[in-house]
Amino acid sequence: MKLVPDRDCDDCTVCCHHIPINQPDMVKLPNVDCEHLMKNGGCAIYKTRPETCATWYCGWRYSAALTDNWRPDKSGVLIEFSLKGLPSAFQAKSGLNIKIVDKEKAFANEEFIPFLTAQVSHGIAVTLSYGRDPGHTAASAFLNHALKAPIAERSSDAVKEVLDWLMNELENLPKKKYKIENKRLVIDE
């Protein structure tokens, strides 16, 4: 996949906070600011940042179909393309993980519900992740089956209702808490 030309992160640092990293060159807890994130935004080690950071981009950076409104700090949505953890019916297809980092911004984006509806309607596997507790992973749910009926009804309100209910459920689920031990993320028991 290629990056959208002339599109950069600017002052968006959503990934620097929400994404967990467990790589030899970098370890960072989920939903915690990276130690290199500067107070006013930006990376203190940008020119020498680890390969993990230098090669990771969110879905907004890859998809020209996503307007500037979809930049994660503006939309409250962090999109990742993924082939991992998909149900068997979707194994040969692409998938999206939609991580909600700001529920109000996500629902305020007029493109959010139509985008999710289009992805599910086209058979793209879509996972919704929600949860912002420091050091804890976000809980996730597969959206395709949950949204099947409201999409068939062509009801944006019903889709939003299911998403709202699902986010409340995900927020209340127990989440794995992590700590850094020996330069690795491990479950904090």
Side-chain angles (χ1 to χ4, degrees):
M1 292 191 335
K2 295 186 180 197
L3 294 172
V4 175
D6 301 320
R7 178 178 282 179
D8 59 43
C9 302
D10 283 330
D11 55 354
C12 178
T13 58
V14 169
C15 63
C16 302
H17 177 81
H18 292 282
I19 300 292
I21 301 173
N22 198 17
Q23 297 294 322
D25 63 347
M26 178 89 174
V27 179
K28 189 193 90 51
L29 293 167
N31 300 312
V32 172
D33 283 349
C34 173
E35 65 182 303
H36 305 293
L37 183 60
M38 295 187 297
K39 193 175 198 173
N40 295 327
C43 178
I45 60 165
Y46 186 80
K47 290 183 180 181
T48 60
R49 69 195 186 278
E51 184 177 347
T52 298
C53 298
T55 59
W56 189 91
Y57 296 97
C58 71
W60 175 75
R61 291 290 311 272
Y62 285 115
S63 178
L66 297 172
T67 66
D68 286 344
N69 295 336
W70 281 93
R71 194 174 86 178
D73 62 330
K74 294 178 181 179
S75 68
V77 178
L78 183 64
I79 299 173
E80 291 182 84
F81 295 103
S82 178
L83 296 173
K84 297 177 184 174
L86 301 179
S88 58
F90 293 88
Q91 289 300 320
K93 298 182 180 184
S94 61
L96 295 175
N97 181 36
I98 308 293
K99 181 174 174 82
I100 305 299
V101 297
D102 186 317
K103 187 176 177 180
E104 289 75 31
K105 284 183 181 179
F107 281 135
N109 180 351
E110 293 177 5
E111 299 170 16
F112 180 59
I113 301 294
F115 174 78
L116 286 180
T117 300
Q119 301 311 303
V120 171
S121 296
H122 288 98
I124 305 294
V126 181
T127 303
L128 179 76
S129 297
Y130 187 62
R132 302 174 296 173
D133 296 335
H136 293 75
T137 58
S140 298
F142 185 61
L143 278 183
N144 295 62
H145 301 304
L147 293 181
K148 187 175 182 177
I151 288 173
E153 293 171 17
R154 300 187 189 284
S155 172
S156 294
D157 288 339
V159 169
K160 184 178 179 184
E161 212 173 277
V162 169
L163 291 172
D164 191 41
W165 170 83
L166 192 54
M167 280 188 248
N168 287 331
E169 291 295 310
L170 291 174
E171 190 156 47
N172 293 321
L173 284 176
K175 296 161 191 73
K176 291 181 185 173
K177 182 176 183 186
Y178 285 87
K179 64 181 178 180
I180 299 174
E181 190 174 277
N182 298 321
K183 298 183 181 182
R184 299 291 301 161
L185 284 184
V186 296
I187 295 175
D188 189 6
E189 299 183 73

